[in-house]
């Protein structure tokens, strides 16, 4: 692949996207749910120009839409080094019907460690955000980040 043909991908929260990109996502969802609707009718509903829709439609998509079929992703958790921490995280994942594909816990330094988890979410309807929020609620977990996903 020629280096100039390579396109980088970024994860970005919806609330910082330009309005036209957010509208494009909404229009794509409406068109997906109602195939009889024309693009002209859909963009009119959301007060977006057709040119703006065409500009963004093939370049923006929800994360969860892209992992629908594989539903595999990797998280890193920043945790306090306490006895039973890993067990607590694994119990939480089990209660969410998630399967652990791989797991790595770093050597604790200054009372802190990281746990990297590759997860399979085919057994649950939860969104990635729901999983991350559930893990944030575990005592002694200070931060949870999405670091990769299978697309």
């Amino acid at each position: 692949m020629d280096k100039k043909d390579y396109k980088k991908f970024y994860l970005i929260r919806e609330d910082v996207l330009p309005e036209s990109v957010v509208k494009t996502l909404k229009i794509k969802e409406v068109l997906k749910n109602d195939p009889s609707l024309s693009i002209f009718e859909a963009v009119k509903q959301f007060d977006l120009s057709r040119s703006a829709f065409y500009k963004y439609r093939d370049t923006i998509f929800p994360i969860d839409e892209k992992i629908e079929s594989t539903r595999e992703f990797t998280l890193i958790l920043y945790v306090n080094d306490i006895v039973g921490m890993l067990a607590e995280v694994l119990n939480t994942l089990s209660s969410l019907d998630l399967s652990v594909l791989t797991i790595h816990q770093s050597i604790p330094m200054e009372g802190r460690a990281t746990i990297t988890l590759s997860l399979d979410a085919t057994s649950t309807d939860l969104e990635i955000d729901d999983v991350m929020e559930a893990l944030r609620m575990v005592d002694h977990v200070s931060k949870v980040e999405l670091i990769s996903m299978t697309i």
Side-chain angles (χ1 to χ4, degrees):
M1 172 186 302
D2 191 354
K3 199 163 186 111
K4 68 179 177 182
D5 292 335
Y6 176 73
K7 305 286 188 225
K8 282 188 174 183
F9 285 80
Y10 299 91
L11 292 175
I12 185 167
R13 282 191 341 255
E14 181 180 34
D15 62 326
V16 298
L17 290 172
E19 184 181 6
S20 57
V21 173
V22 174
K23 285 181 178 182
T24 298
L25 287 166
K26 290 177 181 176
I27 292 166
K28 286 175 63 170
E29 183 67 23
V30 166
L31 290 168
K32 181 175 152 185
N33 292 334
D34 184 359
S36 67
L37 194 63
S38 73
I39 290 175
F40 176 77
E41 294 166 325
V43 297
K44 193 173 177 181
Q45 280 182 17
F46 290 92
D47 192 30
L48 184 71
S49 70
R50 285 186 317 166
S51 61
F53 173 75
Y54 284 118
K55 178 180 180 179
Y56 295 119
R57 77 171 180 178
D58 295 328
T59 63
I60 186 80
F61 47 85
I63 289 174
D64 293 313
E65 177 182 298
K66 284 298 185 183
I67 65 166
E68 241 171 34
S69 58
T70 59
R71 307 266 307 153
E72 294 174 4
F73 55 97
T74 303
L75 301 175
I76 186 166
L77 286 67
Y78 298 86
V79 301
N80 293 332
D81 179 35
I82 61 164
V83 174
M85 186 72 239
L86 181 58
E88 185 68 29
V89 167
L90 294 175
N91 284 337
T92 300
L93 295 173
S94 177
S95 72
L96 298 172
D97 292 327
L98 295 163
S99 296
V100 176
L101 301 172
T102 64
I103 187 167
H104 177 269
Q105 184 171 351
S106 69
I107 296 172
M109 299 180 102
E110 299 179 11
R112 309 274 300 143
T114 59
I115 301 172
T116 306
L117 301 157
S118 293
L119 303 169
D120 180 349
T122 54
S123 298
T124 182
D125 291 330
L126 292 174
E127 303 288 338
I128 292 174
D129 283 346
D130 299 326
V131 174
M132 293 174 66
E133 187 58 33
L135 290 168
R136 283 186 191 105
M137 300 306 291
V138 174
D139 286 340
H140 304 287
V141 172
S142 60
K143 188 175 182 182
V144 178
E145 294 179 340
L146 176 68
I147 59 173
S148 72
M149 69 183 112
T150 303
I151 295 181

